[in-house]
Amino acid sequence: MFMKIPLILLALLSVVYSQADDEESFLFVTKQTVNRFIVQDKELTIKYGLYNSGPTTVYNVNLNDVHSFPTKSYELLVGTLNPKWERINAGANLTHVVVLKPKQSGISNSSHAIVTYQKSEKNSDVQRTYSSEIGDVYIMTTREYDRRFSSHIIDWILFTAMASPCIVFPFFLWFNSKRKYESLSSKDKSTKKGQ
């Protein structure tokens, strides 16, 4: 009996402290490509989504993804890979978009972005979280992409030009023989009518 009371008090205290920890905000960060195919020398769009899951505002939010897209392999066209925001309100969503151009083809690894933030203006402790990662992606060459997905108009024109003799020449022979047969047949009929 005497052991149950301290255990119950301990359980109540742990519940109270765990609820106090739940009152803090936490950022969820996603990272995804908008493009279905990633092609060398064509635009690649990366979309970051930040969501403040807690009841309080977070401050001094810094996203850093420079390590995933080095300048020797990618050209930055629009946006920045290390944006900063003063605050993200409680329960708010934020989207950041970057447009890049891959300079090389082959397999490229895009790891997670690093996000740092403070849970309050007064608290100088910096929290760190990571985004989801895209992982290994295959960057196609422009030639390979065009071969797989272009309309192939020139190919169809060449095919038609090469296939036409195979169709036109037999048709021409058949038409000539039919015309000769019909002319012989009409002469035959006309001679029979004349007799």
Side-chain angles (χ1 to χ4, degrees):
M1 176 79 178
F2 291 111
M3 290 299 279
K4 287 184 181 179
I5 292 175
L7 287 175
I8 292 173
L9 287 175
L10 183 63
L12 283 173
L13 285 175
S14 66
V15 168
V16 169
Y17 282 117
S18 69
Q19 286 180 352
D21 288 342
D22 289 344
E23 295 297 319
E24 294 180 350
S25 291
F26 184 79
L27 283 180
F28 290 105
V29 184
T30 61
K31 175 181 170 182
Q32 61 190 20
T33 59
V34 176
N35 303 57
R36 185 170 176 202
F37 298 104
I38 301 172
V39 183
Q40 178 184 1
D41 295 327
K42 295 203 184 247
E43 291 182 352
L44 165 65
T45 305
I46 305 293
K47 180 177 157 186
Y48 301 92
L50 289 84
Y51 175 69
N52 182 354
S53 67
T56 60
T57 301
V58 294
Y59 299 91
N60 299 325
V61 180
N62 298 314
L63 184 143
N64 187 347
D65 203 18
V66 175
H67 60 280
S68 292
F69 305 104
T71 55
K72 68 176 183 158
S73 300
Y74 294 90
E75 178 184 342
L76 184 63
L77 300 176
V78 177
T80 179
L81 291 171
N82 52 356
K84 298 175 182 174
W85 298 276
E86 186 177 315
R87 64 175 49 198
I88 299 177
N89 294 329
N93 289 329
L94 185 125
T95 302
H96 177 69
V97 177
V98 175
V99 179
L100 305 159
K101 186 184 336 178
K103 296 178 183 177
Q104 303 168 347
S105 62
I107 295 178
S108 178
N109 186 354
S110 177
S111 62
H112 54 266
I114 300 168
V115 179
T116 58
Y117 62 96
Q118 293 174 333
K119 290 186 178 183
S120 70
E121 284 182 301
K122 297 173 186 172
N123 187 355
S124 62
D125 292 340
V126 176
Q127 303 295 317
R128 183 181 210 152
T129 188
Y130 300 97
S131 73
S132 57
E133 61 181 48
I134 298 171
D136 289 338
V137 293
Y138 177 67
I139 301 172
M140 290 185 202
T141 61
T142 307
R143 184 177 178 158
E144 179 183 359
Y145 179 78
D146 288 341
R147 186 176 64 235
R148 289 176 67 187
F149 300 107
S150 70
S151 61
H152 303 287
I153 292 173
I154 294 173
D155 297 339
W156 281 108
I157 291 171
L158 289 174
F159 171 76
T160 305
M162 289 181 188
S164 295
C166 298
I167 296 169
V168 171
F169 185 68
F171 176 76
F172 180 71
L173 289 175
W174 170 79
F175 186 73
N176 279 341
S177 65
K178 178 184 174 207
R179 192 176 62 191
K180 284 180 184 177
Y181 176 74
E182 286 176 350
S183 68
L184 287 176
S185 162
S186 65
K187 281 183 187 178
D188 220 18
K189 287 182 184 178
S190 64
T191 57
K192 285 183 181 179
K193 284 184 182 179
Q195 291 177 355

